[in-house]
Amino acid sequence: MRTVVDENGGGAPSERVLRRVAGAALSASTLEWYDFYIYGTAAALVFNTVFFPDVSPVLGTLAAFATFGVGFLFRPVGGIVFGHFGDRMGRKKLLVVAMVMMGVATTLIGLLPTYGTIGAAAPILLVLLRCVQGLAIGGQYGGAMLLVTENAPPHKRGFYGSFAQMGPSLAVILSNVVFLVLIAALPAEAFAAWGWRIPFLLSVVVIGLGLYVQLKLEDTPDFRELQEKAPAAGGPTPARTRSPLVEALRTHPLQILQSGGMIMVIQVYYYILIVFMVSYVGTLGVARSTILTIVLISSAATVLTIPLFAALSDRIGRKRVLIPSAVATLLSAFPFFWLMETATVPGMLAGALIAGIVLGGLYGPMAAFFTEMFSTGVRYSGASVGYQLGAVVGGGFAPLIAASLLAWSGTINAVAAFVAIAAVLTLVSIATTKEHYRPASVAAADPAREGA
């Protein structure tokens, strides 16, 4: 085992248990994000006509994207609420609650009457259920991430943490496969009338998985150690009398802002790719099945690169992977849009693969880095709030902002500039964040060095 200087270290379970935890985190993350993402795909494909039929196609699309963004407004709220109780009650329990909330809300969307049936009440109920989805996904990330990173030994934390990170990209693949099968199997009229409901109704599986996690997995060693330090009968320790969120804001304010900035371009780039571009290239004459397939392939590239870059960060350090990846993301912004605008399969595929690879390089080491940025008692709160703040600022309204920039400027270059600005913010955030993990090679070369 490598020698690691790590303030957040601790005993790790057996490899067998760790593999089970990693599989559960991957499954939970994938299915939760599947529920969250099918909304975006449906918003790009049918929600403008199903829930906003009385406005122009452009306004209907903007309204559908706006409801997509509403869920992101509630993600920080979910991060705050679930972070507080996750630091008090445990990672596993709150992950299960988030999964059940998501499964119920998404299933109800699949049962929701349309505008033609109940009028304005339909989009209102849609927005309310989207808010519940936002709360659930806001709490899910911290639970799934910490469940696996706090179980992993420090020198494998990057690799095992990547299992929680792969979930969103696997969810895009899963959701796009479901929609592609439905589009191929159903006439356009049937898909618009009732076929779009099927992906939402399938989310009942999330509830079952939540029960499995509750019954089969224990909480993390780090959290159990924190509980053991509390007095046996005298209530919480003085350090835990404050709300974990208040304590995180007091002790780690800069880290919360930095973690939000670190994922900024991931959110902007990714949601423009999987939501906005699905709608935009359709206006260029590209078939829905074609663009969904290209997004699926891009997500597969991200899934493959996430564990590779995460494992590399275990060997050379987090920032030595993240900074070059952020630079590559910045350099790829304009070429990505130029290639997608060719509306040819080779051009769009090349652009989507570029995006998928650079995003994998950025996203892979993030779970380990976030875990190492915060102390155990406030880790769920700090990591969740920072991540979700970056998500609401960067990702939630990225499709709406992109569509508005395109309508205002008439050129896709304005959207590319939006991504480039986000990439600069991410690069600055990573560069100014202290490195807490030191692999043996770095420690041997420079024992006095504390950060990168």
Side-chain angles (χ1 to χ4, degrees), residues 7-232:
E7 65 185 13
N8 300 321
S14 67
E15 285 291 330
R16 181 182 63 83
V17 173
L18 187 52
R19 286 194 294 270
R20 182 193 299 173
V21 171
L26 176 63
S27 300
S29 180
T30 299
L31 292 176
E32 280 258 331
W33 285 103
Y34 163 83
D35 283 2
F36 199 71
Y37 284 156
I38 56 175
Y39 191 104
T41 305
L45 295 177
V46 297
F47 275 6
N48 58 332
T49 56
V50 172
F51 291 102
F52 306 98
D54 289 346
V55 297
S56 69
V58 173
L59 289 178
T61 299
L62 290 175
F65 284 164
T67 64
F68 175 76
V70 164
F72 285 76
L73 291 176
F74 282 81
R75 283 176 62 171
V77 180
I80 291 170
V81 173
F82 281 81
H84 172 86
F85 289 103
D87 283 325
R88 293 290 199 203
M89 300 170 60
R91 288 50 167 128
K92 184 190 75 170
K93 290 180 181 177
L94 272 296
L95 174 60
V96 171
V97 172
M99 293 172 67
V100 173
M101 281 181 60
M102 178 65 82
V104 171
T106 308
T107 301
L108 289 176
I109 291 176
L111 299 172
L112 199 61
T114 65
Y115 185 93
T117 303
I118 61 173
I124 292 173
L125 291 172
L126 179 68
V127 170
L128 290 175
L129 291 172
R130 182 61 175 171
C131 293
V132 176
Q133 281 192 318
L135 289 171
I137 207 70
Q140 174 274 338
Y141 177 77
M145 178 191 76
L146 294 180
L147 192 66
V148 66
T149 57
E150 288 188 347
N151 272 291
H155 70 287
K156 293 183 178 180
R157 185 177 287 148
F159 173 71
Y160 278 108
S162 71
F163 282 80
Q165 304 294 86
M166 285 188 282
S169 296
L170 282 173
V172 171
I173 295 172
L174 181 61
S175 63
N176 280 9
V177 166
V178 171
F179 274 105
L180 282 168
V181 169
L182 291 172
I183 289 172
L186 298 175
E189 297 78 10
F191 178 79
W194 56 268
W196 63 268
R197 298 180 182 275
I198 296 175
F200 292 89
L201 297 176
L202 292 175
S203 66
V204 294
V205 175
V206 177
I207 301 173
L209 181 62
L211 296 176
Y212 170 84
V213 171
Q214 175 65 27
L215 295 173
K216 297 295 184 180
L217 299 182
E218 294 185 359
D219 221 313
T220 69
D222 284 8
F223 181 77
R224 294 200 303 270
E225 181 182 353
L226 189 68
Q227 285 186 311
E228 291 168 1
K229 290 179 180 178

Side-chain angles (χ1 to χ4, degrees), residues 277-288:
M277 294 309 298
V278 171
S279 176
Y280 173 67
V281 300
T283 67
L284 304 179
V286 178
R288 291 181 299 180

